[in-house]
Amino acid sequence: RRSVVSRTILLKNPNAEQNVRVVENPFRSNITVRFAKAPQQKVRLELVNASGAIVYGKDYGSSNQLTIDLSGTSLSSGTYILKTVVDGKLFTNKLVKQ
């Protein structure tokens, strides 16, 4: 019996609910964020430490995927909250830095 692998295709549903997914978790120096659908406006990302302090914050243009390069920062290992504001809605993701 023979198996056949078909090519992968990307399906886009314009009526899909927005969702924010973090690709690498735990992370080391980069955080890649993917959106269920392309944002209509700029995107605000903030990384908050366990004490509630914003340790990183930046506005990004509209894109299906963003990568945050934290290699130049001195973040310690531990748990963080990534707050993402997309088209007026707030999404939160719990992240762990190795």
Side-chain angles (χ1 to χ4, degrees):
R1 191 172 168 175
R2 199 173 77 126
S3 64
V4 177
V5 177
S6 65
R7 64 187 181 95
T8 303
I9 60 170
L10 175 64
L11 299 176
K12 292 189 179 189
N13 179 354
N15 299 319
E17 288 291 318
Q18 183 62 278
N19 194 17
V20 175
R21 188 167 67 90
V22 177
V23 179
E24 306 94 12
N25 192 14
F27 71 96
R28 291 187 188 278
S29 60
N30 290 319
I31 300 170
T32 300
V33 179
R34 289 188 182 150
F35 302 102
K37 61 182 184 178
Q40 301 301 305
Q41 304 167 12
K42 68 181 179 178
V43 175
R44 175 73 183 172
L45 295 174
E46 292 180 346
L47 194 62
V48 180
N49 67 15
S51 302
I54 298 172
V55 294
Y56 177 87
K58 187 173 178 182
D59 292 325
Y60 290 86
S62 175
S63 177
N64 283 352
Q65 179 172 305
L66 301 172
T67 299
I68 305 167
D69 181 5
L70 299 169
S71 59
T73 65
S74 57
L75 292 180
S76 56
S77 297
T79 303
Y80 294 85
I81 299 294
L82 179 67
K83 293 183 176 182
T84 309
V85 178
V86 186
D87 298 332
K89 291 178 86 174
L90 173 66
F91 296 86
T92 58
N93 296 83
K94 185 177 174 182
L95 304 180
V96 175
K97 179 170 188 325
Q98 291 184 326

